[in-house]
Amino acid sequence: MEIKTAEIRVKELHQLLNQYGYEYHVLDQPSVPDAEYDRLLQELSQLEEKFPVLRTPDSPTQRVGGQPLGTFSKVEHLSPMLSLSNAFNEADLRDFDRRIKQTIGEDYEYVCELKIDGLAVSLRYENGLFVQGATRGDGTVGEDITANLKTIRSIPLRLKDAYSLEVRGEAYMPKHSFLKLNERRKLAEEPLFANPRNAAAGSLRQLDPRIAASRNLDIFLYAVADFGEIGVSTHSEGMQLLEELGFKMNKEREVCSNIEQVISYVEKWEKDRPTLPYEIDGIVIKVNSLEQQQLLGATAKSPRWSIAYKFPAEEVLTRLIDITFNVGRTGVVTPTALLEPVQVAGTTVQRASLHNEDFIREKGMMIGDEVVIKKAGDIIPEVVNVLPERRTGEEKPFSMPTACPECESELVRIEEEVALRCINPKCPAQIREGLIHFVSRNAMNIEGLGEKVIAQLYHHNLVHDVADLYQLTKEQLLQLERMGEKSVSNLLAAIEASKSNSLEKLLFGLGIRHVGVKAAKILAEEFETIDKLAAAAKEDLLSIHEIGEKMADSIVTFFQKAEVHELIQELKAANVNVEYKGLRRKQVETESIFTGKTVVLTGKLETMTRNEAKEKIEMLGGNVTGSVSKNTDIVIAGIDAGSKLTKAQQLGIEIWDEQKLQEMLKDE
Ligand code: IVH
């Protein structure tokens, strides 16, 4: 066969296979027998074998297989993937409704959706082609799991229209696939997955896409990163458009005109939940109008226009065997319940935090008591109740320790606090916990340094403070248990990569009391370098709107310590970045060439990501949107700019190349 003829047939096969695949996996209405699909796929695969140039990334043959990856690379999301705040009962829902009314008045609609219990993923399409898929990660940066996502048949590799957009949804494992998978694993004597969510997450985190391909995952889409890109005015229109583009959308979505209707929807699904072929853990409620969503805005963590109603947790009975005590990063001693193991919401529970002494006293808990436990938010085990009427007389009273269970120094109760604290700064438990915090996702985000590895590093005298992490060598790491060549080189690479983090990650990681993720970001923006922050007086800190008395005191005290200065010197010597890499907030206040301008970015940029460009332009007062219209002021065209550039030329809109953008950003 000649290549010309082959090319025509390959196109036909793409079209047929895409159509059959869509009917089967998205619409759930197959029109041909499976064998026919397999025959056509086989034919396509043979043609591609013969004429490799005809094998395109959106070919239906490109879903399975693929070579295993070494590691997942990082992906920056177009806009942060936020999470939602929770409602646990009707009163919480009514409170939410009241808050909405306060901001936008009486004229609004909600959309109710099922809260699919899987994991959030983001899919990027460029000119209609699926180019990249990522996990949520820390919300800003996730991991590139494109190869695994391609194995999900309901994810279109090419859209019905050549849109460029980033869509979000929940990848999940249907109940029957989960049961089948665990049956197979049981036969193979492999460990079982606790629930479909863990199974889905585990499958998408496999470096070998063939494993994900065998797991029968699915997806529902529920959001678009930048709705501006697709020119709709409500969430439901957006969802409708995604459906038209070929995405799999959940059919149970419903528009409600008031909170009563929302409550009925919630009640219906609380009852009917077992009839669904996939697991849900609640209902998501969203304000429908995108304009109103914007008006309501978001906190650092979650949008104010949406809330997740969580179904009540399953409660079970078990016995409190003992209470142990753990020392945290700040020296707080936390009692933990050791429980007779029980199954709750899909996992075995044998421990639960008891928070503090008062919590135990209020519940009147005794060792040996029967207790009711549940998983809060279906994740964290919690003791709900004690059943004193079921005592046998064998139960023993409980008492808090007077000395630190780790270093034996005397514990103190600080005024106005319920917690008992170990105030020995050299306490090994505090040091270990501090290290765990330093490497955690919102801090320096060093993957591969779990609790166990840290405990070993400390135990072998290899690490005493966070700066020591940057002195670790391959030889040292190879001595640790279960650390092979590969995990060592991955870990060293992750440590190396963390050196270039922006200042806010380091600040949060240092664990200054009262300084959370948000405050760390604000401090980094305001002071730009760790030295300037370290030199700041209390008044300087208090002049920042978001910084209060308690935090200011804590920051000043922290930077007064000689050992902190030493630590900073060591970090600098190890080349750890101590500067803020984002843009300063104040710049927005001054006029710039971008002030009030509507800008569209198209094509690939060479010196920065589109997201970085967007951020910079917005910091300078510009508004970056996704589609070109007569309201667009400037189009910035990178490499391979396509239809947007043509449209801009037709409309006579000012067009810049990347160099011009660079110059303009520099001028500002
Ligand atoms: S909307 C900014 N809709 O629940 C809004 N989330 O904390 C983004 N989820 O991380 C979320 N079903 O993984 C939305 N229909 C739905 C959802 C849904 C499941 C997950 C999602 C998110 C978490 C909320």
Side-chain angles (χ1 to χ4, degrees):
M1 191 191 282
E2 280 209 27
I3 188 156
K4 277 254 151 34
T5 331
E7 195 175 354
I8 295 170
R9 182 61 183 155
V10 162
K11 281 223 172 95
E12 269 170 24
L13 288 168
H14 275 200
Q15 209 249 322
L16 282 173
L17 287 161
N18 282 341
Q19 185 195 327
Y20 296 154
Y22 175 73
E23 287 167 354
Y24 186 100
H25 295 286
V26 178
L27 302 181
D28 210 4
Q29 284 165 353
S31 64
V32 292
D34 294 0
E36 173 65 3
Y37 182 92
D38 294 343
R39 194 183 62 75
L40 296 175
L41 190 67
Q42 172 86 5
E43 185 188 342
L44 176 61
S45 163
Q46 281 163 355
L47 282 173
E48 289 176 346
E49 193 87 349
K50 209 158 152 202
F51 304 103
V53 287
L54 299 180
R55 186 182 286 133
T56 56
D58 63 331
S59 164
T61 61
Q62 296 306 293
R63 290 196 182 267
V64 241
Q67 286 307 303
L69 306 167
T71 59
F72 294 113
S73 49
K74 304 266 179 212
V75 174
E76 194 179 336
H77 302 302
L78 188 61
S79 62
M81 287 179 77
L82 301 178
S83 58
L84 298 178
S85 49
N86 293 322
F88 294 102
N89 47 44
E90 196 180 313
D92 292 347
L93 286 174
R94 290 188 189 279
D95 276 347
F96 167 73
D97 186 49
R98 217 165 290 132
R99 289 197 299 273
I100 299 289
K101 277 197 187 121
Q102 268 167 11
T103 315
I104 58 175
E106 300 280 334
D107 190 13
Y108 58 88
E109 273 174 356
Y110 290 123
V111 181
C112 287
E113 292 172 359
L114 302 183
K115 187 168 181 307
I116 314 296
D117 199 7
L119 77 156
V121 297
S122 185
L123 313 175
R124 242 195 42 231
Y125 287 80
E126 271 170 21
N127 298 319
L129 189 68
F130 176 48
V131 290
Q132 193 170 56
T135 60
R136 176 174 182 275
D138 66 0
T140 312
V141 176
E143 282 182 323
D144 187 333
I145 52 164
T146 314
N148 285 339
L149 287 171
K150 274 191 172 178
T151 69
I152 301 182
R153 307 284 176 150
S154 50
I155 294 184
L157 299 181
R158 183 174 284 285
L159 302 179
K160 297 193 172 158
D161 258 317
Y163 277 85
S164 295
L165 79 177
E166 195 170 301
V167 290
R168 272 121 197 220
E170 197 83 351
Y172 67 93
M173 187 176 283
K175 286 179 188 166
H176 71 271
S177 312
F178 167 72
L179 294 175
K180 268 209 197 131
L181 172 64
N182 263 356
E183 265 168 37
R184 281 206 309 268
R185 289 176 76 87
K186 199 167 176 186
L187 285 176
E189 295 186 356
E190 286 166 344
L192 303 187
F193 284 110
N195 50 50
R197 183 195 38 233
N198 287 3
S203 307
L204 287 176
R205 293 221 16 108
Q206 295 286 339
L207 289 165
D208 183 349
R210 282 168 297 194
I211 300 183
S214 72
R215 294 281 171 84
N216 216 353
L217 300 172
D218 211 332
I219 192 166
F220 283 123
L221 282 306
Y222 51 62
V224 177
D226 181 357
F227 265 116
E229 303 242 351
I230 60 174
V232 291
S233 61
T234 62
H235 176 75
S236 20
E237 282 172 35
M239 297 303 101
Q240 181 67 36
L241 181 73
L242 291 190
E243 190 161 344
E244 283 158 20
L245 288 176
F247 288 108
K248 183 158 170 180
M249 311 300 292
N250 191 281
K251 297 269 178 296
E252 317 303 344
R253 188 173 65 244
E254 219 168 276
V255 175
C256 295
S257 35
N258 55 46
I259 197 71
E260 305 307 328
Q261 287 177 9
V262 169
I263 290 166
S264 309
Y265 182 93
V266 165
E267 284 170 352
K268 170 184 158 45
W269 283 110
E270 201 157 335
K271 182 164 62 58
D272 290 350
R273 174 183 180 196
T275 62
L276 291 166
Y278 43 84
E279 291 210 334
I280 60 172
D281 59 341
I283 301 296
V284 179
I285 298 119
K286 303 171 180 173
V287 168
N288 199 10
S289 148
L290 300 182
E291 200 181 325
Q292 291 179 335
Q293 287 187 0
Q294 277 215 316
L295 214 62
L296 287 153
T299 68
K301 285 196 202 127
S302 50
R304 291 196 191 86
W305 44 264
S306 181
I307 199 161
Y309 174 86
K310 292 288 200 81
F311 291 138
E314 182 192 350
E315 294 191 347
V316 297
L317 207 61
T318 186
R319 188 174 302 280
L320 175 69
I321 304 172
D322 202 356
I323 296 179
T324 60
F325 300 91
N326 306 317
V327 186
R329 172 168 64 90
T330 57
V332 172
V333 175
T334 314
T336 303
L338 288 189
L339 305 163
E340 238 164 54
V342 271
Q343 283 289 113
V344 195
T347 60
T348 308
V349 171
Q350 39 196 343
R351 282 165 190 278
S353 170
L354 296 172
H355 312 290
N356 53 53
E357 185 175 0
D358 289 4
F359 180 87
I360 302 173
R361 302 252 174 254
E362 272 160 27
K363 298 235 182 288
M365 218 174 272
M366 288 176 83
I367 315 275
D369 267 342
E370 276 200 51
V371 291
V372 176
I373 64 162
K374 70 167 186 189
K375 281 208 255 162
D378 263 335
I379 301 176
I380 304 157
E382 195 176 31
V383 176
V384 188
N385 254 332
V386 175
L387 304 177
E389 65 277 16
R390 296 170 76 125
R391 283 186 183 146
T392 60
E394 300 281 299
E395 296 75 14
K396 298 198 177 63
F398 131 93
S399 61
M400 282 298 276
T402 51
C404 172
E406 185 83 26
C407 70
E408 292 175 5
S409 49
E410 197 186 339
L411 298 178
V412 293
R413 196 167 201 164
I414 295 175
E415 232 180 302
E416 290 176 34
E417 281 188 15
V418 269
L420 266 186
R421 245 174 230 283
C422 163
I423 50 168
N424 168 16
K426 300 241 153 52
C427 171
Q430 291 183 48
I431 295 174
R432 281 196 316 264
E433 293 294 328
L435 288 163
I436 293 168
H437 172 76
F438 185 78
V439 304
S440 65
R441 209 153 65 171
N442 285 325
M444 295 300 266
N445 195 14
I446 305 179
E447 239 172 82
L449 265 184
E451 254 172 68
K452 291 207 176 110
V453 180
I454 290 199
Q456 284 192 67
L457 289 173
Y458 185 79
H459 180 76
H460 290 289
N461 249 332
L462 295 173
V463 172
H464 306 96
D465 62 30
V466 298
D468 292 341
L469 291 172
Y470 293 98
Q471 305 300 333
L472 288 170
T473 64
K474 187 173 165 189
E475 291 66 36
Q476 290 173 332
L477 290 171
L478 278 172
Q479 290 168 20
L480 306 183
E481 273 166 46
R482 298 212 290 192
M483 288 292 272
E485 287 274 344
K486 194 154 171 205
S487 26
V488 166
S489 74
N490 285 345
L491 177 52
L492 286 171
I495 294 177
E496 189 60 33
S498 76
K499 290 183 183 172
S500 46
N501 283 341
S502 181
L503 175 62
E504 63 276 19
K505 294 211 129 218
L506 176 63
L507 283 184
F508 177 64
L510 289 175
I512 309 167
R513 281 194 74 192
H514 307 302
V515 176
V517 176
K518 199 168 169 188
K521 179 93 198 284
I522 293 166
L523 292 168
E525 277 171 356
E526 286 290 335
F527 292 94
E528 293 186 320
T529 73
I530 202 159
D531 291 337
K532 286 193 202 151
L533 174 63
K538 186 173 171 185
E539 298 71 53
D540 301 330
L541 291 161
L542 286 176
S543 70
I544 303 167
H545 176 63
E546 295 92 339
I547 311 285
E549 189 87 15
K550 220 156 97 181
M551 204 189 314
D553 279 336
S554 157
I555 295 166
V556 171
T557 317
F558 180 82
F559 285 109
Q560 270 166 356
K561 294 183 194 153
E563 65 266 25
V564 168
H565 280 263
E566 236 169 76
L567 184 70
I568 294 171
Q569 289 319 318
E570 285 170 35
L571 288 170
K572 282 184 185 168
N575 270 329
V576 174
N577 171 56
V578 291
E579 292 180 8
Y580 179 53
K581 291 189 164 178
L583 274 153
R584 294 204 58 190
R585 301 197 284 173
K586 285 188 181 137
Q587 290 173 341
V588 189
E589 290 158 20
T590 56
E591 281 275 314
S592 91
I593 185 152
F594 293 105
T595 312
K597 294 275 166 65
T598 301
V599 184
V600 173
L601 292 160
T602 178
K604 191 174 154 41
L605 299 178
E606 279 183 316
T607 57
M608 58 187 119
T609 64
R610 284 235 292 260
N611 211 12
E612 280 162 1
K614 178 172 190 272
E615 218 171 70
K616 288 182 181 169
I617 294 167
E618 285 175 350
M619 293 301 285
L620 293 168
N623 179 23
V624 177
T625 63
S627 51
V628 177
S629 72
K630 58 181 189 327
N631 298 329
T632 309
D633 296 302
I634 305 163
V635 168
I636 295 160
I639 301 164
D640 289 336
S643 58
K644 289 184 194 171
L645 176 59
T646 325
K647 189 158 178 200
Q649 284 161 339
Q650 283 163 359
L651 292 173
I653 292 164
E654 188 170 340
I655 296 165
W656 295 2
D657 59 11
E658 186 168 354
Q659 200 187 344
K660 171 109 189 229
L661 171 66
Q662 282 286 356
E663 280 162 22
M664 291 305 177
L665 289 173
K666 228 183 290 150
D667 286 352
E668 300 299 333

